[in-house]
Amino acid sequence: QKEVEQNSGPLSVPEGAIASLNCTYSDRGSQSFFWYRQYSGKSPELIMFIYSNGDKEDGRFTAQLNKASQYVSLLIRDSQPSDSATYLCAVNSGTYKYIFGTGTRLKVLA
Amino acid sequence: GAVVSQHPSWVICKSGTSVKIECRSLDFQATTMFWYRQFPKQSLMLMATSNEGSKATYEQGVEKDKFLINHASLTLSTLTVTSAHPEDSSFYICSARRTSGISSSYEQYFGPGTRLTVT
């Protein structure tokens, strides 16, 4: 059974701090990794994707991938209250299916 | 780019009636679309994978005769909930897969979701 695991949280960080969200996956054949943000009552929104080992930066967001250790993380710099949401990690192993984690709830405290 | 729409955004129907939900990729072609449902405070549950021009692939435990999926074109997939009952009330979300610029890689973009309430 291919799995994607995330800590459900809530992860609370003060405004302006760095929020660090982590995700581990079980399938070593996984090739593509995605981070989605989901506000309460809304659908998920793609914020980052990463395919290669290392870091990928986009604005305040940095995705980090370590295939040897089978984890992918998302860093949010200068966290804002508007970043408060559930963050979903998704993994694709080259098939048509994506495996989603259950999400980490982030609270940014003003 | 990569916009996916859904219609309607919410619907209330009576028990026993059928409801059709449309999912459209507005600025790209999607040979594959996905249908999910999500109950409050729970994670996404994949219901089925919709492939243009062929039959949908349903996940284990999802009744294909109750949740009819038609992927008639490269930009449109529909989900029909037949003979709806109150337990079908949920948030239904579609997504469309878009080919990335990187070989064999795809990104998945979600529609805004449809909130179904069956009374």
Side-chain angles (χ1 to χ4, degrees), chain A:
Chain A
Q1 178 78 8
K2 299 175 183 177
E3 293 182 350
V4 175
E5 296 196 2
Q6 297 180 255
N7 188 317
S8 61
L11 171 66
S12 296
V13 300
E15 184 175 357
I18 296 175
S20 178
L21 304 159
N22 298 311
C23 171
T24 59
Y25 58 94
S26 62
D27 181 9
R28 282 197 171 274
S30 300
Q31 299 172 5
S32 315
F33 307 86
F34 306 85
W35 282 100
Y36 290 85
R37 176 176 61 197
Q38 186 175 23
Y39 292 112
S40 181
K42 302 293 185 182
S43 68
E45 172 194 8
L46 179 64
I47 52 173
M48 289 285 291
F49 55 88
I50 186 167
Y51 303 123
S52 305
N53 272 330
D55 295 1
K56 179 182 178 183
E57 188 174 315
D58 184 0
R60 294 187 297 114
F61 299 99
T62 299
Q64 298 176 318
L65 174 61
N66 185 323
K67 289 187 177 181
S69 300
Q70 294 177 244
Y71 83 77
V72 57
S73 61
L74 179 70
L75 302 178
I76 307 175
R77 287 181 299 282
D78 188 24
S79 296
Q80 301 297 309
S82 58
D83 294 325
S84 298
T86 296
Y87 289 80
L88 302 171
C89 171
V91 173
N92 177 263
S93 57
T95 67
Y96 63 88
K97 260 192 213 183
Y98 296 72
I99 310 298
F100 281 85
T102 54
T104 298
R105 194 155 62 97
L106 173 67
K107 285 185 173 181
V108 181
L109 307 172

Side-chain angles (χ1 to χ4, degrees), chain A residues 31-32 34 36 38 41-46 49 51 88 90 92 94-98 100-103, chain B residues 34 36 38 43-44 46 49 57 59 91 93 97 100 102 104-113 115:
Chain A
Q31 299 172 5
S32 315
F34 306 85
Y36 290 85
Q38 186 175 23
K42 302 293 185 182
S43 68
E45 172 194 8
L46 179 64
F49 55 88
Y51 303 123
L88 302 171
N92 177 263
T95 67
Y96 63 88
K97 260 192 213 183
Y98 296 72
F100 281 85
T102 54
Chain B
F34 304 91
Y36 296 84
Q38 188 175 38
S43 60
L44 292 169
L46 178 64
T49 302
T57 303
E59 295 300 300
F91 190 41
I93 314 172
R97 192 177 75 164
S100 168
I102 300 171
S104 300
S105 297
Y106 303 90
E107 291 123 42
Q108 187 178 178
Y109 295 89
F110 285 87
R115 197 161 301 281

